Amino acid sequence: MPFDPTRAPVVFGEALFDCFPDGAEVLGGAPFNVAWHLAAFGAGPVFVSRVGEDALGARIEAAMQQQGMTTLGLQHDPQHPTGRVKVTLAGGEPSYDIVAGSAYDFIDAAALPTRPGGELLYHGTLALRKAGSAAALKRLREDTDAVFLDVNLRPPWWSEAQVQALLDAARWVKLNEDELARLAPAGDSPESHAAALMERHGLERVYGTLGAAGAFALDTDGTLDRVSPGAGVQVVDAVGAGDGFAAVLILGLLRGWSVGDTLERAQGFASAIVGRRGATIDDPAFYANFSELWGSV
């Protein structure tokens, strides 16, 4: 099916709160973060998720409305609570309990918004740990083959067989260095892992993120583009940097940017995200500065 970039992208997956020992509750979830950034850049995403009929769910809906995001795809669950991640600290090191049985585990295929085929569909892997949400994603994939898979392997909430099947259904995939080595062990470098993954699953492009070493994009014709972080990046909070990177990759696909320009812009945006506290930025001027830098977005 041809990819029509003029139609609204659909972002599927979890919205949740990171809950810290001091009582702080930080809104996030990789798909939510991606949808937030896309909305701020005027891409008009439809975010498909599910929240509980509780205070946290009401906060998510209110945040979406304040950001100008449609709530057409946001379902309400009377039985299961809004997603949470319990963050604990031991010796200064955080550990995370991604609470099971959350509302986003039960996204209902029958309650999905009606949508035309052809637009880009973004999803990760965490929200597919239960059969209900996995069935909802399967239904969404029936309308498009323009699927962007953002791999996020969160033990114990993933299986090799499921992720390999998701790769088979994707056109574009983003992974970090460890995930590349885990899912495509053939080869001796991230780039060779990406080539093996692409060949096995018939992918159009693989985006690899390499932390301090930057990132790359490998196309099916063998074209390899690279980007390195700028000098002097000040890291305040690294949470959500990969989600910001993914959002700009999607924006590049929607806007028809070259792969090289897209990588440079994604890296620059992610570097700015780590200089701020939190994965989502509630400041229109922050996004306007990038829109001006990049030209019309």
Side-chain angles (χ1 to χ4, degrees), residues 11 29-41 45 47 69 122 148 150 240 242-248 250 279-280:
V11 177
F32 180 85
N33 296 339
V34 168
W36 179 280
H37 297 314
L38 288 173
F41 283 124
F47 178 56
M69 298 168 65
Y122 165 99
F148 188 111
D150 193 352
D243 306 332
F245 191 90
V248 179
I250 293 169
T280 56

Side-chain angles (χ1 to χ4, degrees), residues 209-254:
T209 58
L210 308 175
F216 69 87
L218 179 65
D219 277 39
T220 188
D221 64 1
T223 302
L224 182 65
D225 291 89
R226 299 179 184 276
V227 65
S228 298
V233 175
Q234 299 295 316
V235 178
V236 174
D237 182 357
V239 174
D243 306 332
F245 191 90
V248 179
L249 295 181
I250 293 169
L251 200 63
L253 292 169
L254 297 174

Side-chain angles (χ1 to χ4, degrees), residues 24-59:
E25 296 170 332
V26 179
L27 178 56
F32 180 85
N33 296 339
V34 168
W36 179 280
H37 297 314
L38 288 173
F41 283 124
V46 176
F47 178 56
V48 176
S49 189
R50 193 171 177 92
V51 297
E53 294 183 350
D54 50 30
L56 293 182
R59 286 173 59 184

Side-chain angles (χ1 to χ4, degrees), residues 26-194:
V26 179
L27 178 56
F32 180 85
N33 296 339
V34 168
W36 179 280
H37 297 314
L38 288 173
F41 283 124
V46 176
F47 178 56
V48 176
S49 189
R50 193 171 177 92
V51 297
E53 294 183 350
D54 50 30
L56 293 182
R59 286 173 59 184
I60 289 173
E61 186 165 14
M64 291 177 64
Q65 292 171 339
Q66 183 176 357
Q67 182 70 348
M69 298 168 65
T70 178
T71 57
L72 178 67
L74 188 67
Q75 302 177 7
H76 297 84
D77 192 317
Q79 296 180 309
H80 302 97
T82 298
R84 291 180 301 136
V85 176
K86 295 180 181 178
V87 183
T88 57
L89 300 173
E93 292 297 320
S95 60
Y96 306 94
D97 174 18
I98 305 173
V99 178
S102 297
Y104 66 77
D105 291 315
F106 301 92
I107 300 172
D108 184 0
L112 293 172
T114 302
R115 53 187 282 273
E119 66 270 57
L120 183 146
L121 169 64
Y122 165 99
H123 69 87
T125 49
L126 176 60
L128 305 175
R129 60 187 180 174
K130 293 287 187 179
S133 289
L137 178 65
K138 182 179 179 181
R139 170 64 189 86
L140 289 174
R141 287 206 313 262
E142 293 172 357
D143 294 334
T144 182
D145 64 355
V147 177
F148 188 111
L149 171 60
D150 193 352
V151 176
N152 290 289
L153 304 182
R154 298 289 184 262
W157 304 118
W158 71 281
S159 72
E160 184 87 19
Q162 184 189 50
V163 174
Q164 296 292 349
L166 294 174
L167 287 163
D168 284 336
R171 183 182 295 190
W172 309 284
V173 177
K174 170 184 161 287
L175 316 89
N176 64 31
E177 188 171 1
D178 292 338
E179 291 161 347
L180 274 167
R182 180 68 182 266
L183 296 174
D188 56 3
S189 69
E191 294 80 4
S192 61
H193 295 316

